[in-house]
Each structure stands twice: as structure tokens, then as C-alpha cells.
Amino acid sequence: MSTFPLTRLRRLRSTGALRSLVRETRLGLDSLVYPLFVGPTTQPNESLPALGRFSVDDLVAEAEELRSLGVPAVILFGIPDEKDEQGSGAWDDDGVVQRALRTLRASVPGLVLVTDVCLCEYTSHGHCGVLEGEEVANDATIEVLARTAVSHVEAGADAVAPSDMMDGRVAAIRGALDDAGFDATPILSYAAKYASAFYGPFREAAESAPAFGDRRGYQMDPANVREALRECELDVAEGADVLMVKPAMPNLDIIRAVRERFDLPVAAYNVSGEYAMVKAAAASGWMDERQAALESLTAIKRAGADVIVTYWAKDVARWL
Ligand code: PBG
């Protein structure tokens, strides 16, 4: 191997044009998904703008703006008017996400509409499934998740993304979608979703923090990588079309491991806490938001993600 002074790696770093020519990882708007929160009323979020929520009516203008900026896809989260023990708002044909889907389907054709399939925003106790005592009952939960997924697709969802971490939910959803005639609708599985402190701002925005206990009985232990691969393997066997890792930045090694082991598209969720950390630091004058965000997203791509769900998608459309 040739060494200094024959080799000088700084040669290709000397101008922006040269750096761009040899760049190994390119971030593009076409691989980003923007989260959208829909609730009974519009409530902007001043410090974390992407975590604001929209009424169904106001959502249309936001979606039109996203489409005109070139954001290709959104993932919808619903905050219902009322919650109950079962989370029945999740599969209500007249529920907030179902109404949003019908409206967006008609008014912004072409925008890819993904839905988050989970119960935590709909249950009075804030857990991701139905309870038996203080435990989340796995097998009862996957039935209602399947029902929820079907109701989303009936209302116009292009893809469903289960985020609950119950065992067997991908197979249950695949079966229910196929029985309903939706065999062409893909499942983007939150396959390796860790029990994480980084969901804090989301839970505040979506009013979905658990009323007691935590989610460690169903979401993954952040210490584990082999278990993430087992989760992915099972989801592939159950019919998942895309494997998602979440959160993204603390788990770049997991994204890489999933990329190397599987040939499915890999997605990563750059979650609310990752966004909020940069926002807070930028507000204090400690970091440049644009640079920190683009560096984060590029690192997530470099780790192996094909698709990135990010609260910065709308900003990236303006930045790039
Ligand atoms: C629903 C869900 C959560 C997130 C996405 N889907 C919250 C949770 O599991 O507590 C978090 C997203 C984020 O923090 O940006 N289960």
C-alpha cells in the first residue's frame, strides 16, 4: 500500500465539487417518510414543529404542501377523541385515521399513505395491546391489530406498519389482509423496535404514554442484537415486505446487521427523541440543526437503511 507522501487523502477533499464526486452515500428525498399526526383539532407544536397535530380538514393542506415539496410518503398516527380499555377507536370505520385516509386518498393522489398500526394511542391505559390483568395479552391483541390494519386499507392506506411488537402480528395481519382481498398491500414491519427513552416527545405529542409500568414486556431490550435478527427472521417468514429498525441513531449497528443478513428493503425510524435532541441543542445555539440533521440521516443511510422515517423530511425537501 502506498503511503504518505505519495498518498494524500486530502486531495479529494479540497473542493465541494470533488467531495461530491466521490461521495459514497447520497441522501435523497425519495427515500424519506414524514410522520403526520391527526387528531380532533389542530394543535401546532412550537418547539418540535413536526410533532404538531392536524384536524382531518387541516391535514389536507399539509399533505398538499408535502407533495408539492416532493416528499414521497407519510406515516399517519391518530389521536382519537376518546380512548377505551380495548382501544376500539383504532379499528373504527369512522375513526380519525380512517377519515384522514379517505380524505387524503381523494385530495392528494400519489402521496404514499402508510399507517402506524398500534393500540397505544387508543387505549385508556396507553399500552400497545389489550390487557389481561396488568399484562398485555398477545394473542387477543394480534386479532384486533389485524382488524385495525384491514380498516386502514379499506379506507385507503397504501401500506400498513405494525409497531406493537406482539408475537405473530405480521402473520395475523397478512392473513386478514389477504382474506379481505388486499393481497397486494405491503406490510412495513417495525421488526426490531427497542424499548427506548427516545420515544418521549412522541408519547407526549400522541398522548400515548403507558398509565402504569412500561413497554419492556413487549418491546426489545436495547442490549440485544441477535434477538433483533430473530425478530426479523420471524417477520420475513410471516410475510413482512420491509423490515424496520427503531430508533435509528442508537442502533446503527442493528441496521447494518439487518442489511447484511436480509435482502428485504430495510427501513429505519429516526425517532422523536433524536429529532428533539438536535432541536433543543440548536435552540441553545450549540449545534446547527441543518448540518446535524443531514449528518444523522446520512449516517443512517450509510449504515444500510433504504427508507428513513424522519421528522426532518419536510425540512430536507427545502435543504437539498
Ligand atoms: C406506537 C409508536 C411509538 C412510536 C411509533 N409508533 C411509540 C411507542 O412505542 O411508545 C415512536 C415514534 C417516535 O418516538 O418518533 N407504538
Side-chain angles (χ1 to χ4, degrees):
M1 182 184 134
S2 73
T3 55
F4 177 83
L6 192 61
T7 301
R8 290 178 184 269
L9 293 181
R10 286 184 55 187
R11 285 176 199 134
L12 290 173
R13 292 181 202 147
S14 60
T15 68
L18 276 173
R19 289 192 294 274
S20 166
L21 207 57
V22 298
R23 187 156 296 134
E24 298 175 35
T25 307
R26 285 176 207 276
L27 185 66
L29 192 56
D30 48 7
S31 55
L32 304 186
V33 180
Y34 188 61
L36 279 179
F37 297 86
V38 55
T41 57
T42 296
Q43 280 180 35
N45 185 324
E46 207 136 293
S47 40
L48 302 174
L51 286 156
R53 70 174 82 146
F54 298 91
S55 66
V56 173
D57 290 342
D58 292 341
L59 193 63
V60 175
E62 177 71 7
E64 279 170 350
E65 190 189 349
L66 290 168
R67 197 186 48 176
S68 69
L69 283 167
V71 174
V74 297
I75 179 164
L76 291 171
F77 295 93
I79 302 125
D81 224 343
E82 281 171 30
K83 304 179 189 243
D84 60 28
E85 273 283 305
Q86 304 295 311
S88 61
W91 63 87
D92 180 356
D93 189 45
D94 198 34
V96 69
V97 165
Q98 289 80 356
R99 282 189 288 121
L101 285 165
R102 284 196 194 91
T103 307
L104 295 180
R105 184 79 296 155
S107 55
V108 274
L111 184 68
V112 176
L113 306 175
V114 184
T115 59
D116 183 85
V117 175
C118 195
L119 300 184
C120 62
E121 297 111 63
Y122 302 89
T123 51
S124 45
H125 44 77
H127 278 286
C128 299
V130 294
L131 297 182
E132 259 162 35
E134 298 229 320
E135 285 293 313
V136 175
N138 192 89
D139 301 11
T141 298
I142 63 178
E143 278 177 41
V144 294
L145 289 168
R147 209 164 144 184
T148 301
V150 170
S151 84
H152 288 174
V153 179
E154 278 172 346
D158 293 301
V160 291
S163 67
D164 52 284
M165 290 304 279
M166 299 301 124
D167 289 319
R169 85 283 171 77
V170 172
I173 291 171
R174 186 70 273 156
L177 289 178
D178 291 358
D179 287 347
F182 299 124
D183 53 11
T185 304
I187 299 175
L188 190 170
S189 175
Y190 287 72
K193 174 170 175 176
Y194 289 91
S196 172
F198 292 92
Y199 308 150
F202 172 98
R203 290 183 189 167
E204 202 178 307
E207 297 171 9
S208 66
F212 63 89
D214 54 44
R215 303 209 201 291
R216 285 182 287 188
Y218 39 102
Q219 298 180 348
M220 278 185 53
D221 182 340
N224 297 349
V225 56
R226 292 190 300 271
E227 187 189 1
L229 297 173
R230 293 186 74 196
E231 281 285 1
C232 290
E233 204 171 292
L234 289 167
D235 283 5
V236 173
E238 292 178 29
D241 298 281
V242 181
L243 298 171
M244 184 144 78
V245 175
K246 175 183 175 202
M249 290 283 278
N251 298 308
L252 296 177
D253 59 327
I254 311 295
I255 298 171
R256 167 61 36 195
V258 173
R259 168 73 297 148
E260 281 173 5
R261 178 83 66 92
F262 301 95
D263 291 330
L264 280 76
V266 176
Y269 199 136
N270 176 223
V271 302
S272 59
E274 302 173 62
Y275 171 70
M277 283 196 298
V278 173
K279 279 277 185 195
S284 297
W286 294 329
M287 274 192 216
D288 179 77
E289 183 188 359
R290 177 178 183 274
Q291 275 184 40
L294 293 176
E295 183 177 330
S296 301
L297 295 171
T298 301
I300 295 164
K301 273 231 115 174
R302 193 192 63 222
D306 301 296
V307 178
I308 307 175
V309 181
T310 177
Y311 298 94
W312 278 302
K314 194 174 169 184
D315 295 316
V316 170
R318 298 197 189 95
W319 292 334
L320 289 187

